[in-house]
Amino acid sequence: MQKTANEPSVMLTTVEKKPDRRAWTRLRKNKAAHASLWFLILIHVVVFIGPFVWTMSPEATNPANTLASWSVSHPFGTDDLGRDVFSRMLHGGRITLLVGAGAMVFTVLIGGIVGACAGFFGKWIEAILMRFTEAMMSIPNFFFALVALTVLGKTPWMVVLVIALCSWMEIARVVYGETLKWKQQEFVEASIALGAKPLWTLVKHVIPQIIPSIIVASTLGIAWAILTESAISYLGLGIQPPTATWGNMLQDAQAYIWTAPILGVLPGIAITVVVLAYNFLGDGLRDALDPRHIQK
Amino acid sequence: MASFLLQRFWQSILLVFIVSILTFFLINLAPGGPSSMMRMDATEEERQAISAQLGLDKPVIVRYGEWLGNAVRGDLGDSLSSGQPVIQRIAERFPHTLQLTILTLIVSVVIGMILGIIAAMKRNRASDYMINFIAVIGLSVPSFWLAIMLILLFSVTLQWLPSSGVPPEGVSLWEQIKYLILPVIILSTSTLPTIVRFMRSSMLEVISQNYVRTARAKGVKESVVIYWHAMRNALIPVVSIVGVLVPRLLGGAVIVESVFGWPGMGRLIVEAANSRDYTLVMGVTIVVTLLVVLTNFIVDIVYSKIDPRVKNF
Amino acid sequence: ACGGNNSSQSDAPTDDASSEETSSSPSQGGEIAIPIVGDPIFNPWHPNAYAESNVVNRILFSGLTKPGKDTAPAPSLATEWSASEDGLTWTFKLRDDVKWHDGEAFTADDVVFTFNTLVLDESKGANGASNFRALDEVTKVDDATVEFHLNRPWASLPAYLGFNAEILPQHVLEGTDVWNNTAFNKETPIGTGPYKVETYTSGQSVVLTANDDYFLGRPNIDKVTYKILADVNTHIAQAMTQELDIFSLEDTSSLERLQNVAHLSVEPRNVTKYYWVAVNQNNPTFQDVKFRQAIMHAINRQAIIDNILKGYATIADAAITPNLETYYTNDVAKYDYNPEKAKALLEEIGYIMNSDGVFEKDGEPLSFQFDVAVQGDLVTIAQLIQQDLKAVGMDVELVTLDWNSMIQKDVVERNYDMMMNWWTYPDDPDVYAQYHSSNADTGNNIPNYKDEEMDRLLTLGQETSDPAKRAEVYKELQAYMAEQLPYQYLWYPQELVVINNKLENVPELNYGGTLHYINEWSIKQ
Amino acid sequence: MNPLLKVHELSVGFQSDQGVVKAIEDVSFEVHKGQTLCIVGESGSGKSVTSMSIMRLIDYENGVLLGGDIEFNGESLSTKSQDSMRKIRGNQMSMIFQEPMTALNPVFSVGKQIVESLRLQNKRLSKSESWAKAVELLQQVGISEPHIRVKQFPHELSGGMRQRVMIAIALASNPQLLIADEPTTALDVTIQSQILHLLAELKETTGMSMILITHDIGVAAEISDRIVVMYAGTIVEEGDVFDIFEQPKHPYTVGLFESVPVVDGERKPSLPSIPGTIPSLANLPEGCRFHPRCPYATEQCVRSSPPLVTLSEGRKVACFHHDIVDHQNSLTKTKKEVVQDE
Amino acid sequence: MSESTVLLEATNIKKYFPIKKGVLKKTVGHVRAVDDVSLTIRKGETFGLVGESGSGKSTLGRVLLQLQALTSGTVQFKGQPIHNANAQQLRAIRKHMQIIFQDPFASLDPRFTIRDIIAEPFQIHQMLKGQALDNKIDDLLQRVGLDPQRKHAYPHEFSGGQRQRVGIARAIALQPDFIVADEAVSALDVSVQAQVINLLKDLQQDLGLTYLFIAHGLNVVRHISDRVGVMYLGQLVEVGPTDALYETPAHPYTKALIDTNPNPNPYKRKKRILLKGEIPSPANPPSGCRFHTRCPIATDTCKTEAPSLKAFGQDRLVACHYPIQDH
Ligand SMILES: Nc1ncnc2c1ncn2[C@@H]1O[C@H](COP(=O)(O)OP(=O)(O)OP(=O)(O)O)[C@@H](O)[C@H]1O
Ligand SMILES: Nc1ncnc2c1ncn2[C@@H]1O[C@H](COP(=O)(O)OP(=O)(O)OP(=O)(O)O)[C@@H](O)[C@H]1O
Ligand SMILES: [Mg+2]
Ligand SMILES: [Mg+2]
Ligand code: NI
């Protein structure tokens, strides 16, 4: 590190009186995360308010005007059925963002609870929960989803739930491993020595240490959920057409990969950018929660 | 330790048993039936005849009992769609899948860890953002799209690499590798980001610990500090992920296998599911379960090897 | 050259030399590759033999007849055939120069075995056995003659014998559990076709080599490889790299790109196939013909054909496709795209448009589910149809299902409101199976349409063997179909066959048909 | 003679969300070859920060060198790159960290951690040789059954054992300068004396210099040549060990010595300690940092901070009233008789 | 010993740690960290525990608080056996017994500010909230000599001694009946140390606290303790009232310890007497008296016969065949 003698050495007496440790203020100092946050807010606003402004139906087909390039009436052109891509992006965004975040929340909740409890409590709880996790990894997802969605109906919320039920095992494993590692630390023992209930120790001391991993898992989980939705729609199990999602727009574009690759580019970019923003936000959050990190 | 092994063994047996029950009832609950009965132009009589032939007219419980009886004797039955023994169908595919899985794991773990560490070291700087960006692209660009684009570039336009298939026998190692390059790249695009991201986060956690300072005080090279002292402590999440990736790669490389005409387990599973080949589904599920059990067991052992404080057994 | 056991690598030059000798005839040698999407099963009657098996079995085995280049049945293993006066007995004369791939002679016994033991045994559930419900028994007259005994007159028999009805070897299969005989079905099938299996690797390929003893002469091309490639985009990529030589293009989305590849041509071919939408006739809502007519008027078929199918289809009015020229008539009721008319028809039968723009009857909105399997371009088309129906005030909800679930729900349980699909059948106008009331509820009469007049015409068509009279019957049937709309007809598609220009002498038949003539194909020098 | 280490007006701060907070200010001292310098002082006064700054490890702890210079063997360290620092660390300079539990890598056996140091120092050492050497080092620092202990992990050792492992690691590299941050706090007196003995021996045989940070006045008295006293981030007094013990000049030093509990003295109901609260770096008083607790404080002390003045060769103090503070340390009152005793 | 004043009584407690080898983690031996120790701590007293590094003092402290399970033996706290208490009972008891860990840094959650660390015991036992809690925290910080204004800083931003004081503040927060102080003041300079010790003593006087004071600083132990126990290789070798034990150590090891104590006077620099001989290991303790390998007065009896802890003089116990009588 360079000598920074010329830096105005802050008077010893004034600073650090009441350091503001709130994550929010620290987060605001991280440019990438801050920008990502605003971007995500913006995109949610656009996607949820946009359709009231751009009222063209996302489902209205027009065989006479398929694969049109951009124009005033169709800013992003039209798709293979002559539907307005802009409108589909807006409406699809609603579902995709909901599915992504919704499935991620469930995934993290289930996976986090199972993994943390298994790792922390050990003994038969561990045996049951971890074997259960392994069982869920082994049961063929296709049939699970097929039966669940046939019985429960293919509403977006059910799709979210089923995606979560098919993907929480990864997080459970990660959280389990981390819990095993952290629960051996002396400060955990210290908390036990204070007479804390196990749940207190787990929630207050062990889980916070795992939060960086959980953040990573959730930001990855969003991408995973969005893509899983499109994959299962290919099996007739996802959000039902003609309802647009970025995932199924991407999936539909598969057929046009040779002739109109642009069809996939828009939803692809949208997904990438959103996932990227979530990742930067996650990194920022992680830094904000890291007491050793200084936001410059 | 011995009691741990024994305990784990019985738990696993129970697990396989429960998975088999759940799966058996699940596949029978799922709409549809074996494809031979599910032809558009089949008549009810034909369906009934085939159903009787396949023994599907018996109650589910009875069929499960029969299946279980055979399975414990090591006989997973014959595939409903091809008549071949399920074991044979799996055995045909498994080596190919294993090849891809191992290579993909090596590639994504090695590169993933390196990139993750670089990202952590260059935290919030251009290279960190760049690596994050690449990882996210790898995650959100659909495999089929990337696969076709790579085929277009390397096989159609440049003609450097074969567009698909498994290496023919008796060709040189380099020729064999050529067949693997594209599938491994595509598979890695979805596994690598996970490892990169977890590695980065885990490294950041570790790098500020006092023992890293000690290593520096010893005069250890910065690269050794990072790749030896710090990394070892950061491995647990990555190992967990690898444990999850193994079964996923073994059974889930469907897109890559179809695009590259790779005769792997992924397609076998999808075909079995689509054609409601109950015996094959059961067989594959059992194999996958065993692999899951095995990898998780290994991962659990590895935890305490990585970090001696971990006492999970 | 691979036929001989002593053949080796050094054979190849000899092959080339021999092809030079006969320079006037099509060039000899070379190899081609054809994609299939899954592992085949080498038995055309196997309940699991689907499309990917059919294209392989077609060149491994031979039937008694095959589709002629003029769509009429042409001789194959049978050289000639005739029906008795009452139409209940058919006699087939067989070739006496046919050898199975293992050298055994093909005889009438094989035909008898195939039909009596496999096809007619109901408990076996052989693939397509239901087509032969009119057949009681096959008997051997002598080694080269068989008789087919029917329980009712059936003029289409020769056509159906050329439609995935290949003959299997008795001497190999007799006494075995045929469906589970994996040595035959999955390893070394014995056929009479122009090619025989050399190697089969699950998930990868089936390699076939020319049958030197093929009864129509050794095929020109030495080796045919069926590559098992599940992904359409891979087919296209490999066609570009000349790793694949011929296949049928499922949908038109990549058409332009393929047309721009110098070494490929994309050729439209006629097929005996039509797309339809069906509404469940067990549901009173859909029983009124005006309702079905309203659907026809509501769907803008021409727009879909022009834009989505790139013009490679013609509007369908009935079940007989135009390529069956003798039987086809255009002189039937037409339903133009006319949403107003559709609305008017609905109003006629008591529907009233409510404030949401949805029709109502007795306070019940006209809303129903439209099931569609995720298969080929069905979902795409269904979305267009759904929008058209919505536009005339029908509240249609699209439900996508995987193929198997769709069959279970819509075909087995008949638990649906509306669905869409297509029918393919042999080059013969006999559509009894899909329309006769006896096939409602359980058979192929998917809409469960029951109509005595229809039944009468269908039976009459089967009983009439005189071609001219038969044509009349079927023209009448078409008119009646177009009027009553048991199914709501969409279009007769054309098939797009992608062919590598190096291939010569490929008859201008559809993809499936032209494979029957693979022995004639050759490779440009 | 040139000093081995010369710290000149060193100021170090920590980055925080709000900016840079100074931790030590204008710290200067020298260590000569073969000499032992003891840094004593109040807890939190910046002893560890000073030592980590010398090693330039402070950079990794969000620390910033704000001014001053560190010279080692005539070379300035403060501007050196971390890469070139690496060649000095572990080779010419080693450090024993204060908290041995967290300073040892939990995932490597202690043997591995010692071996690493050995092999960094001597690249030609073979694997088995270095393991044998590691066992020997453990033996030297008084760990029983070292061949078992080398294979154990830090968490399996007692606090004192970990501390001795840290010492072994630091000694493995044969440094010219050893910085030992409270190396014997977790050791019982018998082992402590064994370790101090070992260090003294090394000093004699290899000419090693040492900076010893300790709270144990007994240890300081026993081993050091010179003593530096720190208070609230600055040096308040420096001098030869005998001078300091005999005639502490700074009121803080005096207070410190008064607080030492003595074994042979009478047990008092409560120990004497310096009255008042210790200022935190964030909240330092104006003027002399010690004035709120100082019995001698005057107006002047409130207004301005006293400079570190040199009284005689090697004797410095930062107090306006050092001449009044003429307090004889009770600990050394009886020095004459004792010396005669020996 | 009057029964009524016994706060904690441990009988024949043992704590063995397995030594494991290989991938399969086979147990190849045991470290006998605490090997058959019996001890009684009276209400309101300070029991000093000194002894060789690695002799099992920390382990003893932990097992007394049931932070580690015993291998065998019994522990009674306020007359109640606690070695077999269930989790719920233990939680209730832990409110009354606290520990100050030897390694302050490792025992502080790196993601907690020190305010949160000190607030935790109050939150766990739902004792104080809001402003009252904050006042209490400030007060505690002040008492251990930390600036309350820094309470929002994290442990890594403190010096070793400061962290140690955070640990002390946390332990005394609940005003427990019994505190195990494991090297609680070792990282403090003497002045602060004096302050903290005075604090601990004041608390003891006001609230009747009992301490198990584990330390190496013999001076400090002498100052604070009423009675002192000396451990060697997993066993208690001598117990007695502080002054008596310091003035007339009976066990040769105790004597060696006291003789080796460094003197804070540079003029009194002397060659400290180093104990000779091989240092034995708790994994493989010597036969007979465990100190015999290093004992200047060991005889053949010592090599074979293990001495038990026997009464010696008034209120004193010693485990030696040849206890040193008055010098
Ligand atoms: N990373 C950090 N960030 C902010 N302040 C710090 C950091 N590390 C240390 N400090 C502060 O710097 C001052 C000096 O700390 P240092 O560790 O040098 O004290 P010390 O003299 O070694 O004390 P002790 O004897 O208690 O170990 C302390 O007030 C401490 O709070
Ligand atoms: N978790 C553990 N696993 C294995 N051995 C252990 C463990 N904890 C302690 N030991 C062993 O137990 C013995 C006693 O350790 P303990 O920490 O009680 O010693 P101590 O008297 O506190 O020493 P010190 O004064 O050095 O802190 C040591 O030999 C140590 O190696
Ligand atoms: Mg310090
Ligand atoms: Mg200890
Ligand atoms: Ni040949």
Side-chain angles (χ1 to χ4, degrees), chain B residues 35 39 53 163-164 166 259, chain C residues 50 123-124 204 234 238 243:
Chain B
S35 282
R39 310 177 68 104
Q53 254 180 54
S163 65
S164 71
V166 295
V259 174
Chain C
Y50 317 114
S123 72
K124 285 226 155 59
Q204 295 180 54
T234 313
Q238 297 214 350
E243 287 171 274

Side-chain angles (χ1 to χ4, degrees), chain C residues 9-38:
Chain C
Q9 297 276 327
S10 58
D11 273 359
T14 332
D15 284 352
D16 293 346
S18 67
S19 71
E20 269 167 39
E21 279 166 36
T22 57
S23 52
S24 58
S25 58
S27 59
Q28 299 289 305
E31 52 180 84
I32 56 169
I34 302 174
I36 49 177
V37 294

Side-chain angles (χ1 to χ4, degrees), chain C residues 63-74:
Chain C
L64 291 181
T65 66
K66 63 183 174 191
K69 292 181 187 167
D70 58 353
T71 71

Side-chain angles (χ1 to χ4, degrees), chain D residues 267, chain E residues 221-223 225-228 240-247:
Chain D
R267 283 174 73 198
Chain E
V221 172
R222 172 164 199 192
H223 180 80
S225 306
D226 301 310
R227 287 194 306 143
V228 173
T242 311
D243 288 327
L245 189 127
Y246 270 68
E247 272 149 31

